[in-house]
Amino acid sequence: MAVGKEIRKKIGSVENTQKITGAMQLVAASKMRRTRERMEQGRPYSDHIRQVIGHLANSNPEYRHTYMNAREVRRMGYIVVSTDKGLCGGLNANLFRELVRTMAEWDAQGIGIDLSLIGNKAAAFFRALGGNVVATINNIGEQPAVETLIGGVKVMLDAFEAGDIDRLDIISNEFVNTMTQRPTIKQLLPLDPEDDEEPSAGEREGLAPRMGSLKRRWDYIYEPDARQLIDGLVTRFIEAQVYHAVIENTACEQAAKMIAMKNATDAAEELIDELTLLYNNARQASITQEIAEIVGGAAAV
């Protein structure tokens, strides 16, 4: 029964693949939990450093950092955050589709684009598509360090400071929940040093403040001066934003990989059921044929 042996061989092969995808699903789930913890731990730092910049900038309006100066956009810059590896469904494809769409909109306005790429998949995509790639960071790993990302970020910051680009955006995947990850574009430069703790309308009109609102208007005691402090903080803030985007994108990668491996495991189970049914039918047909041959031989005798 050559057909039956071939089917059994296929069933064994699919079962082995199912074991691998099942194990990869569990590994991705474990890594996703750890990455989400790092993502949540890094968010307060990014939020508070923005508040500090806002306080300092509003308390010292006579000095405005270069990164805070808005100007007419003649050339765009993008920091693109992708994954190093595949097997994560349409995560990278959706990100690149959104990026290409926005790039086409800028191109229609005659605005050039510079790209700083993070992740092997982005490098491979733009190697095939083309584009003005000014920096590439590969093999960032599952636990990227800030030091690994600084080079690509500094290239874009220097370009903005020199006037080579007039706006800098970062595009990465946002972690909504385990089942949903969506491409998100955020503006990094020019930086808007908004103060999230502005007084309410009632306080501005001289009405009684709410409990705790007396803490809203305050300033720091710092040295040597606000200018040097702002110069350092804005750079740290941009680096923190990029780092947080990379960590969040890694969490998205593991979530997407977990879902993709679950789908692959379920598909393997369905294929095994179909092949088992096919094997049983083939085996039954073979037995029926053998019985018919025996009966035919006995009748001839």
Side-chain angles (χ1 to χ4, degrees), residues 53-263:
I53 294 172
H55 285 310
L56 289 174
N58 292 327
S59 300
N60 300 271
E62 69 280 357
Y63 174 65
R64 194 167 181 86
H65 193 275
T66 305
Y67 295 163
M68 300 177 186
N69 294 327
R71 51 184 182 250
E72 181 183 356
V73 178
R74 294 186 177 87
R75 191 166 187 85
M76 272 291 300
Y78 278 105
I79 296 178
V80 184
V81 182
S82 70
T83 67
D84 279 333
K85 300 178 181 178
L87 298 177
C88 50
L91 188 73
N92 290 308
N94 294 334
L95 181 80
F96 297 148
R97 188 180 299 113
E98 178 66 16
L99 176 59
V100 169
R101 183 188 65 79
T102 57
M103 289 175 62
E105 292 177 356
W106 288 112
D107 186 65
Q109 302 176 38
I111 296 174
I113 298 172
D114 291 343
L115 299 166
S116 176
L117 309 179
I118 299 176
N120 294 337
K121 291 300 180 180
F125 178 80
F126 283 100
R127 193 180 303 122
L129 180 68
N132 187 34
V133 178
V134 297
T136 303
I137 302 174
N138 295 325
N139 302 316
I140 57 176
E142 296 172 354
Q143 297 183 6
V146 178
E147 294 77 10
T148 307
L149 308 173
I150 287 178
V153 176
K154 190 175 187 305
V155 169
M156 303 306 284
L157 295 182
D158 291 346
F160 184 87
E161 195 166 356
D164 296 332
I165 60 174
D166 304 298
R167 175 174 163 175
L168 177 61
D169 288 2
I170 182 169
I171 177 168
S172 61
N173 286 291
E174 178 185 8
F175 188 95
V176 179
N177 52 52
T178 304
M179 300 296 295
T180 306
Q181 305 85 38
R182 62 185 176 208
T184 303
I185 300 177
K186 297 179 181 178
Q187 179 177 324
L188 294 178
L189 298 176
L191 178 66
D192 181 16
E194 60 182 10
D195 191 340
D196 294 333
E197 297 182 355
E198 285 294 322
S200 65
E203 291 171 314
R204 288 194 296 267
E205 294 170 3
L207 302 180
R210 295 191 304 271
M211 182 66 69
S213 62
L214 291 177
K215 298 180 181 179
R216 291 185 170 191
R217 307 306 300 165
W218 48 277
D219 197 2
Y220 298 95
I221 298 175
Y222 45 79
E223 59 180 23
D225 56 33
R227 177 169 182 166
Q228 293 188 32
L229 188 57
I230 292 175
D231 288 348
L233 283 176
V234 291
T235 303
R236 298 290 84 76
F237 172 71
I238 299 300
E239 292 173 354
Q241 290 289 92
V242 175
Y243 177 72
H244 185 269
V246 172
I247 292 296
E248 188 165 5
N249 195 81
T250 304
C252 292
E253 175 188 2
Q254 299 303 333
K257 187 173 292 186
M258 182 183 70
I259 298 301
M261 292 303 101
K262 181 182 185 304
N263 292 338

